[in-house]
Amino acid sequence: MFESARLPQKMDKKTFRKLEPELREALLSAQLEVIEKKPFSTIIVVDGLDGAGKGEAVARLYGWMDARHLICNAYGDPMDEARMRPRLWRFWRDLPAKGQTAVVFGSWYQKALRDRIYDKIDDDSFEHELGKIRRFEEMLANEGVLLLKFWFMLPREDQERRLKKIDKKHAARHVLADWAALKNHEKASEVGEKIIVETSRGHAPWFVIPSQDPEFRDAALAQTLAAAMRLKLEDGEAASVAAPPAVGGLTRQTAVDAIDLTAKLKKSDYEKKRTDLQDRLSSISDTKAFSKKGLILVFQGNDAAGKGGAIRRVIRPLDPRIYKVHPISAPTDEEKARPYLWRFWRRVPRQGHIAIFDRSWYERVLVERVEGFAGHDDWLRAYNEINEFEEELTNSDYIVCKFWLAISAEEQLRRFKAREEIAYKQHKITDEDWRNRLKWDQYAVAAGDMVDRTSTHFAPWTLVSSEDKRHARVEVLQTICDRLETEL
Amino acid sequence: MFESARLPQKMDKKTFRKLEPELREALLSAQLEVIEKKPFSTIIVVDGLDGAGKGEAVARLYGWMDARHLICNAYGDPMDEARMRPRLWRFWRDLPAKGQTAVVFGSWYQKALRDRIYDKIDDDSFEHELGKIRRFEEMLANEGVLLLKFWFMLPREDQERRLKKIDKKHAARHVLADWAALKNHEKASEVGEKIIVETSRGHAPWFVIPSQDPEFRDAALAQTLAAAMRLKLEDGEAASVAAPPAVGGLTRQTAVDAIDLTAKLKKSDYEKKRTDLQDRLSSISDTKAFSKKGLILVFQGNDAAGKGGAIRRVIRPLDPRIYKVHPISAPTDEEKARPYLWRFWRRVPRQGHIAIFDRSWYERVLVERVEGFAGHDDWLRAYNEINEFEEELTNSDYIVCKFWLAISAEEQLRRFKAREEIAYKQHKITDEDWRNRLKWDQYAVAAGDMVDRTSTHFAPWTLVSSEDKRHARVEVLQTICDRLETEL
């Protein structure tokens, strides 16, 4: 999840200084209107990795907003009064009134988060806790609270650097950096991902804040907060705030933007590698272990990126009785009459079998989003629904591999033209392809958000440069073989 | 839960025959409109106790509706095709198309239900399963499915009678009644209650169908189904169907209606019993075990039923440092600015202490419902929120006792008049009391629904006749003492 937050998102100081007055004005004007009209209260949950600068970011908010109506509640271990009451009591006690904004450090997620990181509770208990939290937050939202949750994310090496700095700065004051946090970086990230997948809802969204660069971090926080308050003000009674999957407005590089398109493979190397991998795949698919699993391959990518060619290289070594390729185009009438995941559920293979999707349920958050075939709320909730679908598959012994095949706009143009010129390829290029191409940027944003929101540890996306088709085909085969060997 | 479904709800055959044409017309006209316009699909989940006559009731629906568009899906143990796929697969496969109605026997609840009854899974795993079901149903509702769930309820003795009948009827055909079901009657009812509490949502409500009497049962099912389809047809796009807490339109006796008001206690008996019970309460409250628990007493009832007097008898033997009485009237400005449960959370006592609520959070589903201070959706979701609040308290070592003090309308009139005549009691009677009295029937329905929806095994309602105050006071004291002795 949130691969883009792991990229070095940066904002230079000059840009920040230029943006600052605008951010302050947006924040303050929204806050003042809320203070005056008191239509709702705002709760800002702050969580994420230690050392990400959560305190600094909130301190900046204090400088920008009307601090008298911005309450900060920090919860550590419960004191006597709270220990002698139900766990949620202290959070209830401190709920802000309409018109007020409360920042919550050490929220209702902390206990479950820590207990899970340190293996004090198992997965079922953890899910049970998340279920209770979901209902608590649903109640808050129904009561008109604007609930925003921010997860501050930091790659491991940046976390280490920041903790060293804290140690140095506070050495005299006996405030020690939490080095244990670094040791648990992986586990904390994984548990955090689970929390975000399971508790991000339209009415209580999580926003991931890339925190390597303080200016980018603080601008992202301020901008999201201002946008959400403004949206809620304008919706009047609407209980739910739409969750912009990316931090709106800031130019943020997505994981899809960051794909290195220069990788190439010589023809001779390619032949050798491809044949080896196909042999490997063939023998894996013949094992007893494989017969007890299901394999689901998803191919998405830019138009003309070579999905079909890659799929052909995957199926060549396989027994045709054990796989099925499903090219996905517009839904049939029968499919349109049912929930959108129905057409994919009915194609879930038996164990020991392989389903290959040339385009898939991800069209919901790509073409249906961009072309407006799905409403805003509908494609937004699809991220959760898709994650739950793939989790259900994983829990039922399926292996889900997802490939995004990427090419540059120039390479696409070259391939489109070539298709028009070669008679037997003309059927592969339509007016629609040319129309989609005009929306290149919108599709890029949608693809970036998709990877951010649906690359999970149980069903990760593999981003493949397909600028050189040989490279792409080998990487796809390699990924499948590696994944199968790890999981079987 | 659903105390009213345990009462002998009956409909004589003559009434049924008179109602039948109306029910058929309502059902069929709604169904035909759905078939023609195809605005949504309808899924009817049928569950509940074995022997309750689920099959018979659905058979009657078939007779009344257009059977060609009414699909029946019955799931037993999964067959090969399904066993080799994720558990939800077969339910997905069979989802009805828009315009169709599907009846589901042996739904997605069955596995979790049975596993929990037979202790194959613990509470955490059970909650985890219910959480997944909640999200599955939320998705269905978001995709425009009308999802209605019916729980067929039967008291133990009726279940036994029905099973005997089945045995007799089918002896020659080797269809045996499921006698194990009877053995597990209590456990099945408890697990069923949990399912209903946790998965009844505005968009996927459970309706409890009292099933002792076949005519009442079938009329209740048909009427609810027709009403829900009609409602959804008229709301157009609205994804949620309001859940009528009682079966609308049918005259159903509630548990509150059924309170026996004749109980009386002689003055001399009263003095003795009261003193004994107060002594018992005093010593219990002095124990070490008690100091580790919190006690929460809730008093609701008809106006002038004698809540204050009963509370005074409870506190008399107690150390004033360990209890607090909270008379609840209109919320303050501070309270109005926050979620409605806030004013009660802030009054949750420390462990070893007692909070006594003279009126409580239940006003949400009583006066706020009847007087329209809370919107329809708001008081409807309050049943869930209140159950979750009380479950949280129970899980945090609190004991929650709830009393409904009932008097007849005539007795109330006598007391109102007496209050007006006695100078020092005049402050206890206001114009509002007289106004509320005019809505006696509406308050009775609200109280009945409240008991049906919030009497849980962890926080049951005690329904007390207060027609004779002495009887009421002793019963309140007795219930508290018994409960404390059981739980400490």
Side-chain angles (χ1 to χ4, degrees):
Chain A
M1 299 276 289
F2 302 100
E3 331 302 292
S4 70
R6 292 196 185 89
L7 298 171
Q9 308 286 358
K10 284 223 155 72
M11 177 177 281
D12 62 63
K13 293 218 159 48
K14 209 175 128 196
T15 314
F16 182 76
R17 273 194 300 273
K18 243 173 69 189
L19 191 62
E20 192 176 348
E22 229 177 274
L23 284 174
R24 295 181 68 158
E25 156 61 17
L27 263 182
L28 196 60
S29 73
Q31 192 199 6
L32 290 178
E33 196 171 330
V34 172
I35 292 170
E36 194 204 340
K37 297 186 186 162
K38 301 191 182 22
F40 56 82
S41 62
T42 307
I43 297 180
I44 300 168
V45 169
V46 166
D47 221 316
L49 297 177
D50 285 311
K54 300 186 282 275
E56 287 173 20
V58 171
R60 186 108 70 172
L61 280 189
Y62 266 89
W64 287 351
M65 294 171 77
D66 181 339
R68 293 166 306 170
H69 297 267
L70 187 63
I71 308 154
C72 183
N73 293 317
Y75 301 94
D77 290 329
M79 306 282 184
D80 277 358
E81 274 294 323
R83 246 207 318 275
M84 300 180 82
R85 289 193 172 82
R87 208 189 308 145
L88 277 177
W89 176 77
R90 53 186 181 156
F91 302 117
W92 270 97
R93 182 190 59 192
D94 300 338
L95 287 185
K98 285 176 182 168
Q100 294 179 333
T101 300
V103 179
V104 180
F105 286 90
S107 72
W108 40 91
Y109 286 97
Q110 270 302 308
K111 186 161 164 40
L113 178 68
R114 288 189 179 269
D115 283 355
R116 189 70 198 100
I117 292 176
Y118 294 105
D119 265 327
K120 283 189 204 163
I121 54 174
D122 65 9
D123 239 355
D124 276 350
S125 310
F126 183 57
E127 292 262 5
H128 185 170
E129 290 302 320
L130 295 187
K132 285 204 266 182
I133 289 175
R134 250 191 322 258
R135 279 172 281 162
F136 172 58
E137 294 184 344
E138 192 183 327
M139 184 278 308
L140 289 179
N142 275 328
E143 292 286 311
V145 175
L146 173 59
L147 180 58
L148 306 168
K149 303 179 288 191
F150 294 93
W151 186 267
F152 286 72
M153 197 169 219
L154 204 61
R156 200 181 185 289
E157 48 290 3
D158 293 271
Q159 191 181 24
E160 187 166 358
R161 196 171 42 75
R162 298 250 330 166
L163 288 173
K164 274 191 188 142
K165 220 163 140 187
I166 294 175
D167 250 4
K168 213 165 151 188
K169 196 167 151 198
H170 294 292
R173 287 205 279 138
H174 306 286
V175 179
L176 293 178
D178 186 4
W179 284 98
L182 189 65
K183 234 181 66 195
N184 291 301
H185 181 91
E186 277 317 304
K187 190 74 198 264
S189 301
E190 193 185 300
V191 177
E193 175 184 311
K194 178 106 183 159
I195 284 179
I196 293 168
V197 170
E198 301 252 324
T199 63
S200 214
R201 287 291 177 269
H203 57 257
W206 275 104
F207 301 93
V208 171
I209 304 288
S211 306
Q212 300 99 310
D213 179 76
E215 275 72 31
F216 186 92
R217 177 194 68 202
D218 298 353
L221 173 64
Q223 196 170 49
T224 311
L225 176 57
M229 287 178 98
R230 177 55 58 198
L231 193 58
K232 177 97 173 160
L233 274 169
E234 281 162 13
D235 266 2
E237 278 307 288
S240 76
V241 177
V247 178
L250 289 181
T251 325
R252 157 149 101 158
Q253 197 191 24
T254 72
V256 169
D257 302 332
I259 299 171
D260 173 14
L261 297 176
T262 61
K264 268 195 165 54
L265 205 57
K266 268 196 299 186
K267 190 153 190 210
S268 52
D269 288 350
Y270 166 67
E271 299 290 353
K272 168 90 179 78
K273 285 196 178 175
R274 198 202 66 210
T275 323
D276 288 354
L277 285 164
Q278 286 176 331
D279 288 351
R280 243 174 94 193
L281 183 57
S282 171
S283 36
I284 300 173
S285 73
D286 234 13
T287 59
K288 193 160 173 212
F290 184 80
S291 73
K292 290 178 181 159
K293 291 272 190 179
L295 176 62
I296 292 174
L297 303 176
V298 171
F299 289 87
Q300 298 281 167
N302 302 113
D303 286 336
K307 292 188 288 293
I311 290 171
R312 274 196 299 281
R313 271 57 178 196
V314 171
I315 59 180
R316 191 158 306 161
L318 296 172
D319 179 341
R321 286 168 301 183
I322 67 161
Y323 70 81
K324 229 177 218 147
V325 179
H326 302 286
I328 299 299
S329 49
T332 63
D333 286 350
E334 257 203 281
E335 289 168 341
K336 266 190 254 173
R338 291 176 172 85
Y340 75 98
L341 281 176
W342 181 73
R343 56 200 299 227
F344 306 107
W345 267 99
R346 63 197 294 226
R347 293 182 167 95
V348 168
R350 270 191 282 150
Q351 273 150 28
H353 286 239
I354 304 172
I356 299 167
F357 289 92
D358 182 347
R359 303 183 187 275
S360 66
W361 43 95
Y362 284 102
E363 293 298 306
R364 185 79 165 178
V365 295
L366 296 169
V367 64
E368 293 189 32
R369 167 182 173 179
V370 173
E371 305 296 338
F373 302 148
H376 183 263
D377 290 348
D378 290 330
W379 61 258
L380 208 53
R381 69 180 157 81
Y383 295 118
N384 285 325
E385 291 163 353
I386 287 172
N387 285 332
E388 280 156 20
F389 173 43
E390 293 176 357
E391 196 175 10
E392 179 72 16
L393 289 172
T394 310
N395 290 340
S396 310
D397 288 320
Y398 288 79
I399 298 165
V400 182
C401 291
K402 306 183 294 198
F403 297 98
W404 177 262
L405 302 192
I407 53 173
S408 66
E410 303 73 49
E411 178 63 22
Q412 187 186 57
L413 185 62
R414 244 189 321 273
R415 294 189 190 177
F416 275 13
K417 284 188 177 158
R419 286 179 175 187
E420 290 190 322
E421 280 158 24
I422 302 169
Y424 69 89
K425 282 196 171 174
Q426 277 168 12
H427 73 281
K428 291 176 82 175
I429 179 93
T430 66
D431 288 352
E432 206 187 319
D433 293 324
W434 286 104
R435 274 200 304 276
N436 290 350
R437 193 177 144 77
L438 294 176
K439 296 185 180 166
W440 180 275
D441 291 342
Q442 280 168 269
Y443 277 99
V445 168
D449 287 345
M450 173 189 78
V451 172
D452 266 1
R453 298 247 150 188
T454 61
S455 200
T456 50
H457 66 277
F458 49 85
W461 276 101
T462 305
L463 308 179
V464 181
S465 165
S466 199
E467 198 83 351
D468 176 69
K469 288 183 183 177
R470 292 192 286 258
H471 165 80
R473 291 165 187 174
V474 163
E475 192 161 330
V476 165
L477 278 164
Q478 178 89 49
T479 306
I480 298 172
C481 288
D482 289 353
R483 186 84 191 284
L484 285 174
E485 278 171 4
T486 317
E487 305 236 358
L488 292 182
Chain B
M1 299 276 290
F2 302 101
E3 329 304 287
S4 69
R6 291 196 187 90
L7 298 172
Q9 307 285 358
K10 286 221 156 76
M11 178 178 281
D12 61 64
K13 293 216 158 53
K14 207 175 126 196
T15 314
F16 182 75
R17 272 194 300 274
K18 242 173 70 189
L19 193 61
E20 194 177 345
E22 228 179 274
L23 285 174
R24 295 180 68 159
E25 155 63 19
L27 263 180
L28 196 61
S29 74
Q31 192 199 7
L32 290 178
E33 196 172 331
V34 171
I35 292 170
E36 192 204 341
K37 297 187 184 160
K38 299 190 182 24
F40 55 82
S41 62
T42 307
I43 297 179
I44 299 169
V45 169
V46 166
D47 222 317
L49 297 178
D50 285 310
K54 302 187 282 272
E56 288 173 20
V58 170
R60 185 109 69 171
L61 280 188
Y62 265 89
W64 289 350
M65 296 173 74
D66 181 339
R68 292 165 306 170
H69 297 269
L70 185 63
I71 307 153
C72 183
N73 293 317
Y75 301 96
D77 290 329
M79 308 279 184
D80 277 359
E81 273 295 322
R83 248 206 318 273
M84 300 181 84
R85 290 193 172 82
R87 206 187 312 144
L88 277 177
W89 177 76
R90 53 184 181 157
F91 302 115
W92 271 96
R93 181 192 56 190
D94 299 338
L95 287 185
K98 285 176 183 167
Q100 294 178 332
T101 300
V103 179
V104 180
F105 285 88
S107 71
W108 39 92
Y109 286 96
Q110 271 301 310
K111 187 163 162 42
L113 177 68
R114 290 189 177 267
D115 283 356
R116 190 69 199 101
I117 291 176
Y118 295 105
D119 265 327
K120 283 192 204 159
I121 55 173
D122 65 9
D123 239 356
D124 276 351
S125 309
F126 183 57
E127 292 262 6
H128 186 170
E129 290 303 321
L130 295 187
K132 284 203 266 181
I133 288 175
R134 251 191 323 260
R135 278 172 281 160
F136 172 58
E137 294 184 344
E138 191 182 326
M139 182 279 308
L140 289 179
N142 275 328
E143 292 285 313
V145 175
L146 172 58
L147 180 57
L148 306 168
K149 304 179 287 191
F150 294 92
W151 186 267
F152 286 72
M153 199 170 218
L154 204 60
R156 199 181 185 289
E157 47 290 3
D158 292 272
Q159 191 180 23
E160 190 168 353
R161 196 170 43 75
R162 299 251 330 165
L163 289 173
K164 275 191 190 141
K165 219 162 138 189
I166 296 176
D167 251 3
K168 216 164 147 188
K169 196 167 151 197
H170 294 293
R173 285 205 282 139
H174 306 288
V175 179
L176 293 177
D178 187 3
W179 285 97
L182 189 66
K183 234 182 69 196
N184 290 300
H185 182 92
E186 277 317 303
K187 191 72 199 270
S189 300
E190 194 186 299
V191 177
E193 175 184 310
K194 178 106 183 162
I195 284 180
I196 293 169
V197 171
E198 302 252 324
T199 63
S200 211
R201 287 290 178 270
H203 57 258
W206 277 103
F207 301 92
V208 171
I209 304 289
S211 307
Q212 299 100 308
D213 179 75
E215 275 71 32
F216 186 93
R217 177 195 68 202
D218 298 353
L221 173 65
Q223 197 168 47
T224 311
L225 176 58
M229 287 178 98
R230 177 56 55 199
L231 192 59
K232 177 97 173 162
L233 273 169
E234 281 162 13
D235 266 1
E237 278 308 288
S240 76
V241 177
V247 178
L250 289 184
T251 324
R252 158 148 101 160
Q253 197 192 23
T254 72
V256 168
D257 301 331
I259 300 172
D260 172 14
L261 297 178
T262 60
K264 266 192 167 51
L265 206 55
K266 270 197 300 188
K267 188 151 191 209
S268 52
D269 288 352
Y270 167 66
E271 298 292 352
K272 168 88 179 76
K273 284 196 177 175
R274 197 202 67 209
T275 322
D276 288 354
L277 285 164
Q278 286 176 332
D279 287 350
R280 244 172 94 193
L281 183 58
S282 172
S283 36
I284 301 172
S285 75
D286 233 13
T287 58
K288 196 161 171 212
F290 184 81
S291 73
K292 288 178 183 159
K293 289 273 188 177
L295 177 62
I296 292 175
L297 304 177
V298 172
F299 289 87
Q300 298 281 168
N302 301 114
D303 286 336
K307 293 188 288 292
I311 291 172
R312 274 197 301 280
R313 272 55 177 198
V314 171
I315 60 180
R316 193 159 302 162
L318 297 171
D319 179 342
R321 285 168 302 186
I322 67 161
Y323 70 81
K324 234 179 213 140
V325 179
H326 302 286
I328 299 299
S329 49
T332 64
D333 285 351
E334 256 202 281
E335 289 168 342
K336 266 189 256 173
R338 291 176 172 85
Y340 75 97
L341 281 176
W342 181 72
R343 56 198 300 228
F344 306 106
W345 267 100
R346 65 195 293 225
R347 292 183 168 95
V348 167
R350 271 189 281 148
Q351 273 150 29
H353 286 239
I354 304 171
I356 299 167
F357 290 93
D358 182 348
R359 301 181 187 278
S360 67
W361 42 95
Y362 284 101
E363 294 297 307
R364 185 78 166 180
V365 294
L366 295 170
V367 63
E368 292 188 35
R369 167 182 174 179
V370 174
E371 305 296 336
F373 302 148
H376 182 263
D377 290 348
D378 290 329
W379 62 257
L380 210 51
R381 69 178 156 83
Y383 296 117
N384 285 325
E385 292 163 353
I386 286 172
N387 286 333
E388 279 156 19
F389 172 42
E390 293 176 357
E391 194 174 13
E392 179 72 17
L393 289 172
T394 311
N395 290 340
S396 309
D397 287 322
Y398 289 78
I399 297 165
V400 183
C401 292
K402 308 183 292 198
F403 297 98
W404 177 263
L405 303 192
I407 52 174
S408 66
E410 302 74 47
E411 177 63 21
Q412 188 186 57
L413 186 62
R414 246 187 321 274
R415 293 188 191 178
F416 274 14
K417 284 188 178 158
R419 283 180 176 185
E420 287 191 323
E421 280 157 22
I422 302 169
Y424 69 89
K425 281 195 172 173
Q426 277 168 11
H427 73 282
K428 290 176 82 176
I429 179 90
T430 66
D431 287 353
E432 207 187 318
D433 292 324
W434 287 105
R435 272 200 305 277
N436 290 350
R437 195 177 143 75
L438 293 176
K439 296 186 180 164
W440 180 275
D441 290 344
Q442 280 169 270
Y443 276 100
V445 169
D449 287 344
M450 172 188 79
V451 172
D452 266 359
R453 297 247 151 190
T454 61
S455 200
T456 50
H457 68 276
F458 49 86
W461 276 100
T462 306
L463 308 180
V464 182
S465 164
S466 200
E467 197 84 349
D468 175 68
K469 287 184 183 178
R470 291 192 287 259
H471 165 79
R473 290 166 189 173
V474 162
E475 192 161 328
V476 165
L477 277 164
Q478 178 89 49
T479 305
I480 299 172
C481 287
D482 289 354
R483 186 85 191 280
L484 285 174
E485 279 171 4
T486 317
E487 305 237 0
L488 291 182

